[in-house]
Amino acid sequence: MSIPTPSDPAAVAVELEKLRGTMETGFARVDGSLALLVQRGEQTDRAIADHETRIDALERARWPLPSLVALVALCGLAVSLWQLAARS
């Protein structure tokens, strides 16, 4: 069998068919990779939304630090005044 010349229409058609198969395989791999990335992105978005909800709940449930400091200071003042009144 002889090697066909590059200008032979049959040889060009065969090479184009090989190129088409290679391109289809490559595009299928890229499509699969993109679908996986989209799925992971959606999972990440759901996890972030869940974390934001949990953080909001924790922030609402905690005592604000300035209020806690004021409460402790008032208790300390009340105990000091009580001790001062008890000594007199």
Side-chain angles (χ1 to χ4, degrees):
M1 181 166 194
S2 64
I3 300 174
T5 62
S7 61
D8 182 22
V12 171
V14 168
E15 290 301 318
L16 285 175
E17 187 60 33
K18 287 181 186 177
L19 182 62
R20 179 177 176 226
T22 302
M23 293 296 291
E24 284 179 357
T25 303
F27 283 140
R29 286 178 40 206
V30 169
D31 285 343
S33 296
L34 288 175
L36 180 62
L37 288 174
V38 167
Q39 180 185 11
R40 287 182 181 170
E42 290 171 353
Q43 289 173 347
T44 302
D45 290 343
R46 284 192 300 267
I48 288 172
D50 179 50
H51 288 155
E52 286 178 356
T53 303
R54 291 169 54 195
I55 288 172
D56 288 342
L58 287 172
E59 286 176 347
R60 275 186 261 114
R62 71 175 177 90
W63 276 45
L65 190 58
S67 299
L68 186 61
V69 170
L71 182 62
V72 170
L74 284 175
C75 289
L77 179 63
V79 169
S80 297
L81 290 175
W82 178 67
Q83 287 179 348
L84 185 62
R87 288 185 185 172
S88 300

